[in-house]
Amino acid sequence: MSFDATQLFAYAPMLILIGMGCLILLAETFAQGASRAGLAWLGIAGCVGALIAIVAGWAGAAEPTTHFQGMLVVDRMALFLDGTFVAAALLTLLFAPPYLREQGFEFGEFYAMVLFATAGMVMVIHATHLVSLLIGIETMSLAAYVLTGCWRRSLRSAEGAIKYFLMGAFATGFLVYGMAMVYGTTGGELSYAGIASKVPQATKSPLFYLGEYFILVALGFKVAAVPFHMWAPDAYEGAPTPVTGFMAAGVKAAAFGAIVRLLGSAFASPLLVFDFTGWASVLAVLAAATMTLGNLAAIRQDNVKRLLAYSSISHAGYLLIGVVASGLGVASAKPAVLFYLASYTFTTLGAFGVVAWIGNRSDERLYVDDWAGVGTARPAVALAMTLFLLSLGGVPPTGGFFGKFYLFRAAMESPQLHWLVVVAVVNSMVSVYYYLRVVVSMYFRDSTRALAPTEGATMRLGLLLTAIAVVLLGIFPGTVVEWAGSIALK
Amino acid sequence: MTFNLRLIPLLPFLGAAILMLFGRKWKRDTVLIVAAGAIAGSCLVAFDAFFTALPRAAAGGGLHDVVGTWIAAGSLKVDLAFRMDALSGLLCLIITFIGFLIHLYSSGYMEHDPDYPRFFAYLNLFCGSMLVLVLGDSLPVMFIGWEGVGLCSYLLIGFWYTSNANADAGKKAFITNRIGDLGFLIGMFLLYQYTGSLNIPEITAAAQGGGALMQPLWGATVAFWAALFLFVGATGKSAQLPLYVWLPDAMAGPTPVSALIHAATMVTAGVYMVARMHAVYLLTPGAMAIVAIVGALTALFAAIIGFAQNDFKKVLAYSTISQLGFMFAGVGTGNFDAGVFHLFTHAFFKAGLFLCAGSVMHAMGGSGDITIMGGLRKKVPWTHGVFFVCWLAICGVPFFSGFFSKDSIIGGAFGTEIFDAAINPLAGEHLAWVGKAVGVVLMLAALGTAFYMSRLYFLVFSGSETRASDEIKHHIHESPGAMVGPLVVLAIGAALGGFIGLPGGLLDHPEWNLLADRLRPVLGPEMEISRAMEIGFMVGSVVLALGGIGLAYLFYGGGYREPARKFAAAAPRFVQLVRDKFRIDELYGFLIIRPVKAIAKGIFFVVDRILIDGFLVGGLAWVVDLVGSIARWLQGGDVQRYMAVFAIGVAAIAYLATQPMHTFFSNALKVTVNGLTVDVDAHRGSIAANRVLDYSFDFDDDGKPEVTGVASGAHHVYPQPGTYTVRVKVKDPSWGTSSTLTQKVEVR
């Protein structure tokens, strides 16, 4: 086995993120008090560097190239999602500093952890081998556990983190168990291509199916698909709000990327996809359950953060429809999923950004009633939040509308999925109800107490950027779909 | 050739956005500089594009600018793209130039209005939308502009929204336009379905090829229906019969708005659209005849209503409807360049007339009642001068702009060959009368135009006595320079604008018709009619114009005269009917609005009260409650419980995955009976037939299978007729699970 260091250049985005994370950890030991603010800028610089590396690599990635004995691949899909993750990290680093300062736990490690988690996501999406997938998932998850629990003053943060960690360990158990079964039944294959080539023999053994589903269950846990979603509301509620947005967007997108890649290569054989026992049917049922349960639970929430957590569960359901459609051979399903992930990332980050903005140290203002009067007190922020909520609900002219449109249209091309589209459309209508509750509260109710939000120039910049992104995705979806479309053909 | 066309609409949009966000806190001068600056910049770019870049572009294609992909859905791909050729370029010049003048005028007119920034923001927004409308390279982009100007029109008609009448007028305009827009959309869908494209050059190419649009549809051709539905859209936007009713009410808006939107630009969008889609119209003389006839009838009908109106702006509103009728008659008889020419000249003289109206009303303390005016000639001399020029232009007095454009429409109507079956194979025999009839109606309308406009002029400006109260008379004054300046520029345009479209053929210098020269690559060659005819019509229309003016002088010269009083006394009910606009609004109220309201009430009761409130809201709440309480119990906060749910989920998936997949896909066996022979297929109904399953077929239900193996079908011959039960057992060897399917068969 030879190691060719030049291969590393292809992974510049990941290396920049890791390197900058380490640099932040080192710098943190010398930083005191206010100078910690500079650490966030280091992180932002790292993200910008990674974005530049991604853009620079885009042209060369038209054809996929594998590296390190088939452990990792560079292709357009990976770079597209890399861009999404890094944008999510960048926005998180814009939202977080004022929030952390206000809540009194601004540590440099926070920024480093965000970068490490992002590096893990990048690894996940580049992985073409179950071991590199595992490494990526664990890097991402460990950082996410720490980020969830880093708000030491808050009991709920600690509770969310420990639950997330326990459940995550449980899920990782399934992942590793599944890998072992696949390894055994395929005669020692762990790379996606190798597994795919051994499927006909491997299906003779029932353990292969179990292994396949165990791996899917572990990834289903990461995207918070019902019934593996139970951790999500607690972890999302407990985590510091910018982290919640980061997890709901980035972690979910990474896991979906892994699912799409895994199901599109290792488990793409018709032997595994079709029929009632194929993953397409199983995931279709999960999709229906996920969106329905997520939405019905969200209706009952008065806590905006929890409401958004359940809404994020239901969005995993919509996305699963696209995954199933792509399994059933619909060519336009994959770009639809990727577009949805991009638009969902910006929308969710923006929405949680506003949730982070509205509270302060003594008063988190998490309840729907607390949002009364924001429309008159701070019209710009209320408008941004309305945009995000409309996008989540799938109302034009926002990215969320076209995300759903492309997804549902792809699913309509497969007659077996028509019922699922009906369920999804009914669910989207139901979801508009609870999204609009917040809007109604902001605009049509009088404020009960004065607004004292966490101010910060970077926070405002972050909200502006996300709002612009959401609108642009709603006006020029075609351009982004074309980028995503160049991926799907590969 | 590419050119940065996006700047033209973008600048006014930016101006609008900036003014909406920050304008409220700014000084009026700053607001004006931003608003007028945006439109002036846009105007400069448009001039540069039209006069510098466009002549260099390849013929026909014009300038092009693709901003990006807007919609990509399957075979439908729409770019956000702009295109400027001579036609859209001319419209851009009109919109930006007159728009700029009206911005200046408004700075004086709206001086004391507290909502000054909002007004200018809307005005900029309007200009941007209108520019998108004309520059749009595809029907959907055009439609954004089409809807955008409709929205701005609504916002500006109801600008003084505190008065109910203004808000109602805005709503009326909006709803009437929506009816037309539905037609536009249907036309668009038809074109897309049969040409596979929404891009205007591609549709034009497809139409010139003929094939796709000449297919039969609903008793006519596709082209006929597409053209007709598009024209329905045009009747809404351009206030033609029967959808014209909103325009007179739209005068509730500030006067600069009436001048810009409801005279010079937006209402001409329908004419522009027909000219833009001329290739489709040329395929269908039937639809063109409808366009021409509707235009001519509107021209006459609105002119007659104009005889008896006593509100300055209402007279002008009906005049606009009537003049738009002329334009439609022009494009409907195939004189596309003449229709566009009249659009151009009308933009100047009608904007001028409206702005004069604003100036006069400004002087009269806001009142537009012409019965109390009179003798204003000396009191507002500049306004009078401008009105005088524009009046001569609209009446068609020789060498003023309206003379040339109106004459080319009337002459073209008589000379058109579109409806002549001998020359145009597409036209039916029965259409031959259309051109002549339209021409005659238009001549009557021209006479009417000269009459009501002269009535307006004499009642307002002539005479020595102002009929108003002393208090109003005391305040009459000329308007400030900011208002008079633009008026003078418009008057120059109204006087000389006709010279860009000289009847070159008549003068043996075809190239003197600059307009037709520029438009030829877009709209095709202009119509040629014989010199004798042309001179005849020219003399005839001069006689008509002077006759109308003379008649009006007899009735109203220097104030109300004896013949006018006599006439009103002789036919009081007729005069009242005309003054009430033939009571068309009341007719619509009775025929359409009342029934619609009744149906809406019924639907409200059945759907809203019973179905939604009772069933859906009540029923859904119950389901949500139930699921919510279960979910809440599960989500109790206990990690052990979470893991249990997780484990149950895994178990459920494992259970599903171990089912023999066969069972779920063919609930029934496929059985074919042929005499005593029976074929049974436990087929899979799905593509993955390569998973190996073991089948055993028991045809007589005796527990002993007759056929076993991996094949999903089997064949059996029964010894005697009767009813049997077929039982098929399917086993999945990799899981060891099995399932059974049964079905009764009857063999005879």
Side-chain angles (χ1 to χ4, degrees), chain B residues 187 190-197 202-217 220-227 277 279-281 283-284:
Chain B
L190 279 175
L191 286 174
Y192 177 64
Q193 174 156 15
Y194 288 92
T195 66
S197 174
E202 280 170 24
I203 292 174
T204 305
Q208 280 157 353
L213 290 174
M214 292 310 285
Q215 296 170 46
L217 179 76
T221 59
V222 174
F224 174 79
W225 291 111
M277 307 305 292
V280 176
Y281 280 88
L283 292 177
T284 165

Side-chain angles (χ1 to χ4, degrees), chain A residues 163 167 204 206 209 213 217 221 227 230 234 270-271 275-277 296 300 310 406 409 475-477 479 482, chain B residues 69-70 72-74 77 80 624-625 632 634-635 637 639 642-643 646 656 659 661 664-665 686 691 734-735:
Chain A
K163 280 180 180 169
M167 298 286 290
K204 295 217 169 70
Y209 293 102
Y213 281 118
V217 161
F221 169 85
M230 306 287 279
D234 291 354
L271 285 174
D275 274 358
F276 201 84
T277 61
L296 289 183
R300 303 292 307 240
Y310 277 110
Y406 287 126
R409 202 185 49 126
I475 299 177
F476 298 108
T479 313
E482 263 176 21
Chain B
T69 304
W70 177 31
K77 182 166 179 288
L80 183 57
V624 170
D625 264 7
R632 210 178 315 179
L634 286 174
Q635 193 83 46
V639 177
Y642 293 5
M643 287 192 184
F646 193 124
L656 289 180
Q659 297 306 298
M661 52 184 169
F664 302 100
F665 265 85
S686 152
R691 189 159 156 189
S734 60
W735 294 100

